[in-house]
């Protein structure tokens, strides 16, 4: 290795008063740093697309396998004139978004472990929340790609299409649940000691929350105690309105989209509940992030 | 002369470990300042406090008049930091890493682009810049990290153990580059447990041991302060203990010899502290009287290791070995994880 550094009399100087080389203003700085960190995550995805590919194959397999599992279920079991593909699609959409968001903390955890996070922390970021913002933007974009693929695949598997407004509403619901769960995962990524612990939490949360929701079976199939748990599960509040959208072309903010042991919920109600859930988690992780970022 | 970095009475503990007990030193603008000490002495903790990665328990850190504790964001703008362990994103190319770094420091694109090219050229990274950093050797990684640390034209460049993991050739290239930087006006703060690195580079240095600064000054000042010359004498390539003791007893009685130590690790060679002047021939004569031969003998001015020895009672290498046995690498890793 005879690499000669030839300082071609480049300007290595610290030249004072060159502030015009820097952007100024909190918004300009925030968007520059957030965009740069988001771009990094997308470059990683582009060069290492296995997570995205697996993230699309897995829900697709859920659709096909669960669809086949209940293929010969008596007609009308899941509701009048409803085939299981139609029933299943909303469950898989939310479950996929949920799983993806739950994993959001992993890259941040690895950045912590490999010391890359320190590179971000010694930089004069306008706010360190831009690190969280970049991860959130990335995961939301990724989930939207996955959701779009599942919606298309479900349509071919017999679930049909929701209306255009319905698709918009699905996007909103997916956004809210992803925002909440991503925040939770990022909070854990800063709170837990290492990736082993984070993966353990992901493991014990992921599938149990799927089975304790109405993703695979309606409430009235379940044991009484599970009905209560499923009616408390935020995933249920995301799945049921989407299921309603798949089955009803005429819907409004006042349509009753789900029934629980403690009453009926309208479309507007569930949106508020999801919003409250996201707000609650965002507030909960504040002290965790503050402690790390102080 | 203006002061670029001033650290006063810095203290930092992790759990029960007092990583930094009392550290004070100041770095003048435009100089290369070395922080020398064995592994585990508190160098990295001091640097972590300086770069705002860790919050000190007590003390004051000023960077160009800005408090790193009260005003960490402004302090971060003044510092370029090259960490001991280079953390690069292996999926990004070198150029992409620099671009990311430029955005994190809010450089305007019209300034960032030429600046990135400039540093790629200055550090001889042209043929690597568009490869993924995952393919880089240790030396190239370090150079890229140095380029990243210099992008925003920091007033103070902070390097934590830059030579660890570098091949000899890259190390010399690195040293030359740091000297060029200094000529161009950048203040450089470098930590190292390599004596020769600090001796070769630093205008001034502080020696840190067990979380405390034990001396500060220019290499020559520190060496002059302990005074005398050093003679290393080998009677045979491997001398018996008996012979070494006989020689020692003879040599301590000579008027110009102040101290004789038998170095068992070096085949019972003898380390003498003597007054300045030409003493070798007198020693030769004395040894002949005992019929002892001379395998090798050399006289030198005191080294920084002698300075360290005089202050702590042990050599830097001994301190290294002692520290290596008692270090808790797991706990250290934890401290580094934010």
């Amino acid at each position: 290795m005879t690499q000669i550094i030839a300082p071609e009399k480049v300007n290595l100087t610290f030249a004072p008063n060159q502030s015009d080389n820097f952007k100024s203003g909190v918004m300009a700085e925030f968007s520059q740093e957030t965009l740069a960190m988001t771009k990094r995550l997308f470059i990683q995805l582009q060069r290492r697309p296995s997570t995205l590919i697996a993230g699309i194959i897995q829900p697709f397999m859920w659709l096909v396998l669960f669809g086949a599992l209940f293929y010969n279920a008596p007609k009308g079991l899941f509701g009048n004139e409803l085939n299981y593909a139609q029933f299943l699609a909303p469950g898989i959409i939310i479950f996929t978004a949920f799983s993806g968001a739950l994993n959001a903390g992993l890259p941040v955890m690895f950045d912590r472990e490999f010391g890359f996070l320190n590179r971000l922390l010694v930089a004069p970021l306008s706010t360190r929340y831009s690190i969280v913002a970049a991860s959130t933007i990335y995961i939301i974009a990724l989930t939207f790609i996955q959701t779009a693929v599942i919606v298309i695949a479900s349509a071919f598997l017999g679930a049909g299409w929701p209306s255009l407004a319905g698709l918009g509403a699905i996007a909103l619901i997916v956004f809210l649940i992803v925002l909440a769960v991503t925040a939770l995962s990022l909070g854990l990524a800063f709170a837990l000691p290492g990736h082993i612990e984070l993966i353990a939490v992901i493991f014990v949360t992921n599938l149990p929350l799927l089975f304790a929701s109405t993703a695979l079976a309606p409430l009235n199939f379940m044991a009484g105690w599970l009905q209560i748990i499923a009616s408390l599960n935020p995933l249920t509040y995301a799945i049921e309105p989407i299921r309603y959208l798949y089955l009803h072309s005429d819907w409004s903010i006042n349509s009753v989209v789900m029934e629980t042991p403690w009453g009926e919920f309208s479309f507007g109600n569930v949106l508020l509940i999801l919003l409250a859930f996201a707000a609650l988690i965002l507030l909960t992780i504040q002290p965790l992030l503050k402690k790390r970022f102080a | 002369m203006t002061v670029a970095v001033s650290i006063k009475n810095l203290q930092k503990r992790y759990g029960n470990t007092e990583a930094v007990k009392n550290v004070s030193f100041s770095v003048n603008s435009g100089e290369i300042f070395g922080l020398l000490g064995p592994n585990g002495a508190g160098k990295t903790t001091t640097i972590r406090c300086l770069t705002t990665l860790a919050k000190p328990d007590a003390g004051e850190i000023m960077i160009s008049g800005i408090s790193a504790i009260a005003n960490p964001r402004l302090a971060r703008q003044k510092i370029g930091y090259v960490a001991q362990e280079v953390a690069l994103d292996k999926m990004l190319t070198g150029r992409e890493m620099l671009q990311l770094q430029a955005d994190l420091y809010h450089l305007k694109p019209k300034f960032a682009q030429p600046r990135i090219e400039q540093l790629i050229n200055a550090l001889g990274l042209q043929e690597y810049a568009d490869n993924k950093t995952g393919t880089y050797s240790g030396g190239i990684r370090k150079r890229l990290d140095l380029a990243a640390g210099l992008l925003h034209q920091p007033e103070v460049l902070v390097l934590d153990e830059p030579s660890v993991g570098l091949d000899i050739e890259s190390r010399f290239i690195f040293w030359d580059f740091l000297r060029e930087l200094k000529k161009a006006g950048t203040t450089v703060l470098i930590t190292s447990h390599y004596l020769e690195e600090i001796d070769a580079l630093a205008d001034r240095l502080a020696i840190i041991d067990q979380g405390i600064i034990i001396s500060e000054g220019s290499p020559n000042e520190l060496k002059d302060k302990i005074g005398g010359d050093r003679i290393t004498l080998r009677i045979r390539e491997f001398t018996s203990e008996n012979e070494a003791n006989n020689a020692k007893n003879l040599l301590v009685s000579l008027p110009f010899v102040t101290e004789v130590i038998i170095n068992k690790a070096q085949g019972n060679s003898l380390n003498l502290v003597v007054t300045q002047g030409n003493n070798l021939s007198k020693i030769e004569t004395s040894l002949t009287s005992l019929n002892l031969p001379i395998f090798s003998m050399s006289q030198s001015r005191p080294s920084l290791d002698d300075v360290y020895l005089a202050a702590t009672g042990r050599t830097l290498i001994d301190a290294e070995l002692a520290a290596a046995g008692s270090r808790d690498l797991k706990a250290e890793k934890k401290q580094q994880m934010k």
Side-chain angles (χ1 to χ4, degrees):
Chain A
M1 227 199 52
T2 29
Q3 186 50 250
I4 305 294
I5 299 179
E8 310 160 358
K9 282 304 139 207
V10 285
N11 172 25
L12 299 168
T13 331
F14 150 68
N17 302 322
Q18 294 208 334
S19 57
D20 56 326
N21 290 335
F22 296 88
K23 287 194 185 180
S24 59
V26 176
M27 270 328 283
E29 290 180 353
F30 178 75
S31 57
Q32 189 180 14
E33 67 206 27
T34 307
L35 211 67
M37 286 187 273
T38 312
K39 192 174 158 200
R40 170 189 170 223
L41 296 170
F42 276 105
I43 293 175
Q44 285 179 345
L45 179 70
Q46 185 199 344
R47 297 192 183 148
R48 198 167 39 191
S50 47
T51 29
L52 180 61
I53 293 168
I56 286 172
I57 290 176
Q58 200 210 31
F60 187 74
M61 290 199 308
W62 286 123
L63 276 179
V64 171
L65 291 176
F66 274 112
L69 193 65
F70 291 101
Y71 186 73
N72 286 327
K75 256 209 148 65
L77 185 65
F78 293 98
N80 292 333
E81 296 174 29
L82 178 60
N83 64 39
Y84 190 62
Q86 279 172 312
F87 181 86
L88 188 60
I92 300 300
I93 289 172
I94 288 306
F95 178 59
T96 306
F98 170 70
S99 298
L102 200 55
N103 283 303
L106 270 177
V108 173
M109 182 59 96
F110 286 125
D111 276 353
R112 272 181 73 201
E113 291 184 345
F114 288 120
F116 196 88
L117 187 68
N118 284 343
R119 182 181 290 281
L120 307 179
L121 295 183
V122 295
L125 301 178
S126 68
T127 162
R128 287 168 168 184
Y129 286 101
S130 53
I131 301 169
V132 178
S135 292
T136 311
I137 292 170
Y138 169 72
I139 292 292
I140 287 174
L142 204 60
T143 319
F144 276 169
I145 297 171
Q146 287 174 305
T147 309
V149 173
I150 305 165
V151 168
I152 293 166
S154 308
F156 283 106
L157 289 168
W161 294 94
S163 65
L164 202 61
L167 286 174
I170 292 176
L172 177 62
I173 292 167
V174 167
F175 171 78
L176 286 174
I177 201 89
V178 169
L179 181 66
V181 180
T182 301
L184 177 69
S185 182
L186 290 171
L188 288 172
F190 284 108
L192 296 174
H195 73 274
I196 303 283
E197 289 80 2
L198 182 58
I199 288 173
V201 171
I202 292 172
F203 238 79
V204 297
T205 325
N206 202 5
L207 286 182
L209 272 176
L210 170 71
F211 290 118
S213 76
T214 57
L216 304 176
L219 270 184
N220 55 22
F221 277 29
M222 300 176 190
W225 61 269
L226 188 57
Q227 283 191 20
I228 293 173
I229 295 175
S231 304
L232 288 169
N233 187 342
L235 295 191
T236 303
Y237 290 83
I239 293 165
E240 289 302 316
I242 295 181
R243 192 162 280 155
Y244 190 88
L245 291 169
Y246 258 94
L247 300 176
H248 304 79
S249 47
D250 54 330
W251 53 278
S252 75
I253 203 86
N254 295 318
S255 315
V256 172
V257 293
M258 65 185 282
E259 285 171 31
T260 67
W262 42 79
E264 297 179 334
F265 289 88
S266 72
F267 201 87
N269 290 149
V270 292
L271 283 182
L272 279 180
I273 287 172
L274 290 174
L275 199 64
F277 177 59
L280 178 73
I281 289 186
L282 285 169
L283 282 177
T284 316
I285 66 164
Q286 285 298 316
L288 284 177
L289 297 180
K290 262 204 183 113
K291 201 179 132 205
R292 293 290 169 185
F293 290 169
Chain B
M1 180 150 287
T2 52
V3 174
V5 177
S6 142
I7 295 185
K8 279 190 191 132
N9 302 111
L10 187 72
Q11 288 175 38
K12 175 73 187 170
R13 59 160 66 240
Y14 289 105
N16 288 326
T17 324
E18 265 190 297
V20 169
K21 284 179 199 143
N22 187 359
V23 163
S24 304
F25 62 84
S26 58
V27 181
N28 296 324
S29 224
E31 74 179 357
I32 298 183
F33 187 91
L35 189 58
L36 173 71
N39 279 322
K43 299 189 298 288
T44 296
T45 303
T46 304
I47 296 301
R48 289 177 61 75
C49 291
L50 175 66
T51 54
T52 75
L53 280 173
K55 220 176 194 162
D57 297 329
E60 186 188 287
I61 302 174
M62 302 294 281
I63 299 156
S64 303
I66 287 167
S67 163
I69 297 159
N71 218 333
R73 244 206 98 198
L74 279 180
R76 285 177 202 130
Q77 282 170 341
K78 307 253 172 216
I79 296 179
Y81 176 43
V82 180
Q84 184 172 352
E85 304 217 345
V86 185
L88 301 173
D89 184 328
K90 64 178 181 186
M91 297 307 288
L92 300 187
T93 66
R95 202 183 297 273
E96 285 164 345
M97 271 295 308
L98 294 177
Q99 184 58 58
L100 171 65
Q101 186 91 4
D103 285 330
L104 294 178
Y105 284 79
H106 311 119
L107 296 187
K108 283 183 184 166
K110 70 169 199 296
F111 171 71
Q113 283 328 312
R115 179 75 179 158
I116 287 172
E117 294 316 312
Q118 195 178 61
L119 284 164
I120 284 175
N121 291 333
L123 284 155
L125 289 166
Q126 297 92 329
E127 56 174 301
Y128 308 97
D130 292 310
N131 298 344
K132 286 186 207 163
T133 64
T135 64
Y136 288 6
S137 69
I140 306 298
R141 290 167 64 85
K142 208 66 169 194
R143 283 194 228 164
L144 181 68
D145 204 22
L146 180 58
L150 288 171
L151 266 183
H152 63 291
Q153 294 179 308
E155 288 180 40
V156 181
L157 179 69
V158 178
L159 301 113
D160 195 6
E161 297 275 4
S163 283
V164 168
L166 273 194
D167 56 284
I168 299 286
E169 178 133 11
S170 291
R171 194 188 291 187
F172 288 138
I173 292 172
F174 222 83
W175 290 4
D176 282 341
F177 191 82
L178 293 183
R179 292 191 186 104
E180 287 295 319
L181 265 182
K182 180 197 146 180
K183 264 189 228 158
T186 304
T187 308
V188 180
L189 171 57
I190 178 173
T191 81
S192 182
H193 65 280
Y194 294 119
L195 294 158
E196 70 275 21
E197 180 163 47
I198 297 296
D199 214 351
L201 283 176
D203 300 306
R204 291 191 322 117
L205 72 143
I207 297 180
I208 182 169
D209 187 61
Q210 297 179 11
I212 295 169
I213 297 288
I214 50 181
S215 12
E216 184 181 343
S218 74
N220 282 333
E221 270 168 33
L222 295 184
K223 290 170 189 172
D224 287 345
K225 220 193 275 178
I226 61 165
D229 276 5
R230 298 297 180 278
I231 290 177
T232 307
L233 164 68
R234 294 183 128 177
I235 296 170
R236 301 177 197 279
E237 189 175 4
F238 301 100
T239 315
S240 73
E241 224 176 307
N242 210 6
E243 267 182 341
N245 276 321
N246 287 344
K248 181 180 171 180
N249 291 336
L250 171 75
L251 293 173
V252 281
S253 64
L254 296 176
F256 57 88
V257 175
T258 36
E259 201 182 347
V260 181
I261 298 166
I262 298 176
N263 189 342
K264 285 186 184 155
Q266 299 285 334
N268 288 325
S269 67
L270 295 155
N271 296 341
L272 289 74
V273 180
V274 298
T275 52
Q276 272 185 39
N278 187 2
N279 302 310
L280 293 180
S281 59
K282 295 174 198 158
I283 288 176
E284 202 174 348
T285 322
S286 312
L287 287 173
T288 324
S289 71
L290 272 183
N291 274 330
L292 288 173
I294 292 175
F295 176 74
S296 71
M297 181 158 66
S298 62
Q299 181 166 1
S300 61
R301 306 275 303 120
S303 68
L304 283 179
D305 202 18
D306 296 315
V307 174
Y308 183 81
L309 178 70
T312 65
R314 54 184 186 168
T315 65
L316 202 59
I317 301 221
D318 288 339
E320 282 282 292
L321 291 174
S326 63
R327 290 186 92 180
D328 185 347
L329 292 174
K330 227 177 180 177
E332 278 172 37
K333 172 96 189 170
K334 227 178 193 172
Q335 289 161 19
Q336 277 166 33
M337 261 179 74
K338 254 279 185 169

